[in-house]
Amino acid sequence: MATNSSWGGRYAEGPSAIMQAINASIGFDRKLWRQDIEGSLAHAAMLAHVGILTREEEAAIRQGLSDIAAEIAEGRFAWSEALEDIHMNIEARLTERIGEAGKRLHTARSRNDQVATDLRLWVREAIDGLDGQLRDLMRALADRAAEHAETVMPGFTHLQPAQPVTLGHHLLAYVEMLSRDRGRFADCRRRLNECPLGAAALAGTGFPIDRDFTARALGFERPMRNSLDAVGSRDFALEFLSAAAICATHLSRFAEEVVIWTSPSFGFLRLSDAFTTGSSIMPQKRNPDAAELVRAKTGRVAGALIGLLTVMKGLPLAYGKDMQEDKEGVFDAAETLALCLAATAGMVRDMRPDAARLAAAAGAGFSTATDLADWLVRELRLPFRDAHHVTGRLVAMAEARGCDLADLPLEAMRSVEPRINAEVYGVLTVQASVASRRSFGGTAPANVRRMAEDWRERLA
């Protein structure tokens, strides 16, 4: 059994196959290879800057790491499980290529601060990519909202018809949610943008290093202020997963609506073959599988958050091998969310709303009852609770007659409230209802057009 010669002096006998399998992380942390090389280049430059490495040694390290990056990118690198992780695989190959200078690279650092730095760099890059996707999805929603600023539809509470809204207003609600998701990721990025490198194993180092130099070289705002915190904390990963889980939940809510709205019972919109599948036995089926999978994959993202919270909850400072389990969930959550964002943006651009079906549904379920109550308050000066009572009686009357409120004869309405006049019919259409909701943030088409255009300008 091969041993890891980097620390094998303490353990003359190699690890058992089981120990090697549970201890090795190269199967997944190789995803950090770009960040590991980037961190090593910055560390080598700093060591040369303070005189710990000669310029010749730093140049050899730089060339060696560049060659290794090419090997990995081209699929020519031979990964070794015996070397456990990405850090030792690269370091061993560097020493193999350039000799003694490669052994000097690890001066004044530990795998503990190295992996913390690598993961921060990876998460920072993932946030930047997700932010671009969020902006794209928000643009898609804002474009469709502008297109459907006057398309009426039912607004729901408890999934029961409540009041008419416009489809544009509904879509803009998700733009607002996604905007907050962008803010959460931006906050996470700002807080994680501190450099652990130089904290070494846990206590710092006696070498005269320049941590500000390293932090600047890697694009961090500053070095982390406490070496124990630098190697022993993963709250940046937890915060990233939390933001990802909230964002995925927003996508899942939209996906659920797509699933409901594309069903024949609703028929509010249609997706093309690009985002649906058929059935192996039922030829009439058009299944909204893209939406269903977005809805389902939220479980993976939320599960990654719970998994890392569970890993971290009982760890004493500073580093524990438990923290090796921080990566797979982060990687999977980021990649899963990226796929869900792409699928959702695709569905938003692909969906074809049925305006007639939406309008018909918007008037169902006595959805203008609140407009009637408001009219009674505004025109007849009834207290709202009395107006609510009168409207409830009129709804019951219409229900008993099997008609809508707008179809009740004026005489019937006056049997409940004698002062009602013919002007009441002007507020009982869905178009009048949505047009009247002009308060800031309301569903009036003029509001929706302004807000959609505002978002399109901000996202341009």
Side-chain angles (χ1 to χ4, degrees), residues 58 96 132 151 274 352 364 426 431:
E58 192 236 340
E96 185 180 295
T151 303
R352 294 296 174 262
Q431 288 77 14

Side-chain angles (χ1 to χ4, degrees), residues 182-250:
R182 287 187 71 198
R184 275 181 280 271
F185 280 121
D187 288 345
C188 174
R189 191 192 193 285
R190 176 175 55 81
R191 271 186 286 274
L192 72 77
N193 206 31
E194 297 183 342
C195 185
L197 205 56
L202 77 161
T205 178
F207 289 98
I209 62 173
D210 185 341
R211 292 191 62 206
D212 289 293
F213 180 101
T214 311
R216 285 194 303 271
L218 292 172
F220 288 110
E221 289 292 324
R222 62 188 67 83
M224 294 188 73
R225 292 159 55 91
N226 183 284
S227 60
L228 290 168
D229 178 47
V231 302
S233 297
R234 292 296 185 272
D235 53 330
F236 71 93
L238 289 169
E239 187 173 5
F240 171 76
L241 290 174
S242 176
I246 295 170
C247 181
T249 299
H250 288 153

Side-chain angles (χ1 to χ4, degrees), residues 31-319:
K31 196 180 292 290
L32 296 172
W33 70 267
R34 295 182 190 277
Q35 291 75 26
D36 197 70
I37 288 175
E38 183 183 358
S40 290
L41 288 169
H43 186 66
M46 182 276 295
L47 292 177
H49 170 69
V50 299
I52 294 174
L53 290 179
T54 67
R55 290 299 176 185
E56 292 75 19
E57 288 170 330
E58 192 236 340
I61 289 170
R62 184 173 297 277
Q63 184 60 55
L65 289 173
S66 176
D67 293 340
I68 290 170
E71 288 182 3
I72 298 174
E74 295 165 10
R76 296 184 287 110
F77 192 90
W79 302 103
S80 169
E81 189 177 87
L83 291 171
E84 296 181 13
D85 56 36
I86 183 65
H87 322 296
M88 299 315 302
N89 267 263
I90 289 177
E91 183 178 318
R93 179 63 176 142
L94 180 65
T95 301
E96 185 180 295
R97 290 188 68 96
I98 69 171
E100 287 298 310
K103 296 179 182 179
R104 297 184 184 278
L105 176 60
H106 207 54
T107 305
R109 77 175 182 185
S110 162
R111 284 188 296 178
N112 293 355
D113 60 341
Q114 193 176 354
V115 68
T117 303
D118 290 359
L119 189 56
R120 283 174 184 262
L121 290 171
W122 194 95
V123 171
R124 190 175 71 184
E125 185 176 327
I127 289 172
D128 292 343
L130 291 169
D131 183 72
Q133 287 192 274
L134 281 162
R135 289 178 67 248
D136 179 64
L137 175 53
M138 291 168 67
R139 279 196 300 265
L141 287 163
D143 287 343
R144 300 311 302 272
E147 181 184 345
H148 291 282
E150 297 188 30
T151 303
V152 293
M153 66 169 288
F156 297 95
T157 61
H158 309 278
L159 201 56
Q160 303 297 313
Q163 291 177 270
V165 295
T166 64
L167 178 57
H169 191 59
H170 193 106
L171 295 176
L172 286 175
Y174 285 100
V175 177
E176 298 290 338
M177 295 181 208
L178 295 170
S179 174
R180 293 192 295 274
D181 289 326
R182 287 187 71 198
R184 275 181 280 271
F185 280 121
D187 288 345
C188 174
R189 191 192 193 285
R190 176 175 55 81
R191 271 186 286 274
L192 72 77
N193 206 31
E194 297 183 342
C195 185
L197 205 56
L202 77 161
T205 178
F207 289 98
I209 62 173
D210 185 341
R211 292 191 62 206
D212 289 293
F213 180 101
T214 311
R216 285 194 303 271
L218 292 172
F220 288 110
E221 289 292 324
R222 62 188 67 83
M224 294 188 73
R225 292 159 55 91
N226 183 284
S227 60
L228 290 168
D229 178 47
V231 302
S233 297
R234 292 296 185 272
D235 53 330
F236 71 93
L238 289 169
E239 187 173 5
F240 171 76
L241 290 174
S242 176
I246 295 170
C247 181
T249 299
H250 288 153
L251 299 184
S252 182
R253 295 185 71 181
F254 180 77
E256 169 72 359
E257 293 190 320
V258 171
V259 171
I260 293 171
W261 293 355
T262 55
S263 69
S265 301
F266 275 73
F268 287 180
L269 59 84
R270 182 181 179 89
L271 292 173
S272 75
D273 292 347
F275 291 94
T276 58
T277 65
S279 165
S280 64
I281 189 173
M282 295 169 285
Q284 84 283 8
K285 291 297 289 299
R286 181 186 290 270
N287 300 321
D289 282 6
E292 291 176 16
L293 288 166
V294 168
R295 185 176 61 184
K297 288 180 182 294
T298 299
R300 294 173 65 150
V301 182
L305 171 60
I306 298 303
L308 186 54
L309 282 167
T310 305
V311 167
M312 297 301 299
K313 70 175 183 62
L315 294 187
L317 288 176
Y319 181 83

Side-chain angles (χ1 to χ4, degrees), residues 360-416:
F366 308 105
S367 64
T368 58
T370 304
D371 297 276
L372 173 56
D374 289 347
W375 184 88
L376 293 170
V377 171
R378 188 171 57 250
E379 300 300 327
L380 304 186
R381 307 296 294 173
L382 286 180
F384 182 79
R385 284 301 166 202
D386 292 345
H388 188 283
H389 179 72
V390 169
T391 302
R393 290 182 60 187
L394 292 173
V395 167
M397 181 185 293
E399 196 169 35
R401 294 185 179 209
C403 67
D404 291 329
L405 283 171
D407 297 322
L408 280 176
L410 184 58
E411 294 76 12
M413 289 192 184
R414 284 175 169 168
S415 70
V416 176

Side-chain angles (χ1 to χ4, degrees), residues 424-440:
V424 73
Y425 293 104
V427 301
L428 296 182
T429 67
V430 293
Q431 288 77 14
S433 176
V434 297
S436 72
R437 308 296 173 184
R438 295 183 298 272
S439 59
F440 182 79

